[in-house]
Amino acid sequence: MITTWLSREFGIEIPVLGAPMGGRAGGALAGAVSAAGGLGLLGAARYNTPEWIEAEADVARSIGGKFGVGLMTWSLPENELMLDTAIAVKPTMITLSFGDPAAYVGRIHDAGIPVVSQINTLEDLRIVEAAGVDAVIAQGGEAGGHTGHIGTLPLLQEILEATSLPVLAAGGIGTGRGLAAVLAAGAEGVMIGTALLASPETVGPDYARDRVVEAGSADTVYTSVFDRARSQPWPQRWGGRAIANDFTAAWDGVDVDEDTLAKAYDPSDPNNGVVYAGEAVGLVHGTHPAGDVVRRIGADAERHLSAVRLS
Ligand SMILES: Cc1cc2nc3c(=O)[nH]c(=O)nc-3n(C[C@H](O)[C@H](O)[C@H](O)COP(=O)(O)O)c2cc1C
């Protein structure tokens, strides 16, 4: 068994968090990750509701016992009820990513819940440290969904050198080799998203799972074009990594207004609708239950770590 700060602090067997993926990670996925020995998080997107959090928390708890809730910090000022509800469902962890969490950390800590933030730069580290978070996740630009520009390994090394907080890694980790590598570097665990995207417990259109299985590591694109087409007011610094398709071929990088994009966007069309996924998509070869994915990553990492020879 691999023991780290993450596994000790949260009583889990495998130091793997199932990412809070908006539109893909509900209670079934989070519960399956937790039941396998990791900790799965509900992905509460801006377009979800407090009722969604309550219902999915019940599902996750009934399957896996523990679960976390992941919120997008920049969207909280317009709907703080999302945070109140996330606290009320008593999760094991809340993640606040993409923005300064200072206004919210105290409220979460008062309820006895640890707060973890994904960060994309050294400047982000200083902001979330000042806000009082309990740990950080260095999220590299190869991650699926919204992310920054610095690669996972350079960012992880930089953050590990710069803080005494526990540090996890996210972005591009899809096998036991990846988990072993970042643990050896000093990370306390990982957050995985893309590796879970073909699993039957994910929500979203069937074509999203098919695309994930078919796509290779070179098939993703970092773009804001889907946010603009769907009127999602993400701050400009965070684009999203998605599988390239007909829509990105036609519109990514084109100087065009949002109405035109909205009219051209058709989520019912498998060649047009967004499938957020990271470069680790090339490591996903089939539709395996999320629990199998997590257990396999944990067991393989153990094997790789014990095979390391120092002399
Ligand atoms: C489909 C998808 C949706 C995501 N939605 C969110 C989200 O709502 N909130 C969040 O904090 N992170 C979100 N992420 C980012 C993940 O938390 C995580 O950083 C990422 O999946 C890790 O990289 P990987 O995809 O290479 O494993 C999303 C990722 C994906 C793939």
Side-chain angles (χ1 to χ4, degrees), residues 19-22 24 97-98 118 139 143-145 171-172 191-194 197 276:
M21 297 185 282
R24 308 302 309 279
S97 300
F98 313 119
Q118 297 200 75
Q139 187 207 32
M191 177 177 266
I192 60 167
T194 297
L197 280 177
Y276 282 120

Side-chain angles (χ1 to χ4, degrees), residues 110-288:
D110 286 349
I113 302 166
V115 186
V116 178
S117 283
Q118 297 200 75
I119 54 173
N120 304 107
T121 66
L122 199 52
E123 293 70 37
D124 291 344
L125 171 69
R126 297 309 176 211
I127 290 168
V128 304
E129 276 183 330
V133 302
D134 300 282
V136 295
I137 304 170
Q139 187 207 32
E142 54 269 66
H146 288 82
T147 186
H149 298 272
I150 304 170
T152 301
L153 271 182
L155 182 67
L156 176 66
Q157 295 168 81
E158 192 176 32
I159 299 297
L160 282 165
E161 297 280 332
T163 187
S164 55
L165 286 176
V167 179
L168 313 184
I173 296 151
T175 67
R177 294 180 194 279
L179 173 57
V182 298
L183 290 177
E188 303 288 349
V190 295
M191 177 177 266
I192 60 167
T194 297
L196 299 169
L197 280 177
S199 298
E201 296 91 342
T202 52
V203 289
D206 284 342
Y207 68 73
R209 281 176 285 271
D210 297 341
R211 283 286 112 84
V212 165
V213 173
E214 292 157 10
S217 55
D219 294 334
T220 70
V221 58
Y222 183 82
T223 182
S224 295
V225 78
F226 292 112
D227 292 328
R228 297 186 61 226
R230 304 195 304 163
S231 298
Q232 294 297 310
W234 271 84
Q236 213 191 345
R237 65 169 282 208
W238 291 290
R241 186 168 295 285
I243 298 176
N245 64 8
D246 289 352
F247 192 78
T248 58
W251 299 109
D252 185 35
V254 176
D255 186 12
V256 67
D257 61 84
E258 295 201 355
D259 281 351
T260 307
L261 289 176
K263 283 194 191 97
Y265 184 66
D266 177 8
S268 70
D269 177 350
N271 298 312
N272 182 299
V274 62
V275 179
Y276 282 120
E279 293 177 356
V281 74
L283 301 166
V284 182
H285 304 300
T287 47
H288 305 293

Side-chain angles (χ1 to χ4, degrees), residues 29-73:
L29 184 67
V33 169
S34 296
L39 178 66
L41 284 90
L42 304 177
R46 177 172 170 272
Y47 48 79
N48 287 127
T49 60
E51 292 74 25
W52 181 89
I53 294 178
E54 285 169 350
E56 298 301 319
D58 284 346
V59 173
R61 186 176 277 114
S62 70
I63 298 170
K66 298 177 207 294
F67 66 94
V69 181
L71 297 162
M72 296 184 307
T73 313

